[in-house]
Amino acid sequence: MKRILPVIVFSQFFCTSLWFAGNAVMSDMAKQLQLEPSYLAYLTSAVQLGFITGTLVFAILSIADRFSPVRVFFICALIAAFINALACLSGTGAATILILRYSTGFSWPGFIR
């Protein structure tokens, strides 16, 4: 029992860092892609919309009730990390980054409790 709480805390910390890591580099991405500053608001909204949509889908499908919470957490964390890493690929455009941020937000309900 003594080891499980730190594991949960660190897991939550690393998973929520997907949000903060994206926020930390947003302005640099916008400059690199020569986008207007309003694009940053779209990126933030994309993550939030993805989270809302993901929460709705997870609730409708009763994901937390039908599957092991540990597995759901782990799989969603891996998917979100992979999706977040795809934004680093060269040649990624503005629309693709919006889709990737939305998808990252969509996977959040699996590890935000």
Side-chain angles (χ1 to χ4, degrees), residues 22-86:
N23 285 350
V25 298
M26 272 194 237
S27 60
D28 293 334
M29 286 190 313
K31 286 177 189 174
Q32 185 179 18
L33 296 172
Q34 300 172 353
L35 301 168
E36 296 189 23
S38 63
Y39 179 74
L40 301 177
Y42 293 126
L43 284 175
T44 301
S45 296
V47 175
Q48 293 170 347
L49 182 61
F51 177 69
I52 292 166
T53 308
T55 302
L56 181 63
V57 169
F58 274 59
I60 289 172
L61 298 178
S62 301
I63 299 292
D65 297 330
R66 298 171 63 190
F67 301 101
S68 164
V70 173
R71 285 193 176 156
V72 172
F73 184 102
F74 183 70
I75 290 169
C76 287
L78 287 179
I79 290 170
F82 177 74
I83 291 168
N84 218 37
L86 289 176

Side-chain angles (χ1 to χ4, degrees), residues 1-7:
M1 183 65 174
K2 288 182 181 182
R3 292 186 304 195
I4 196 70
L5 185 59
V7 169

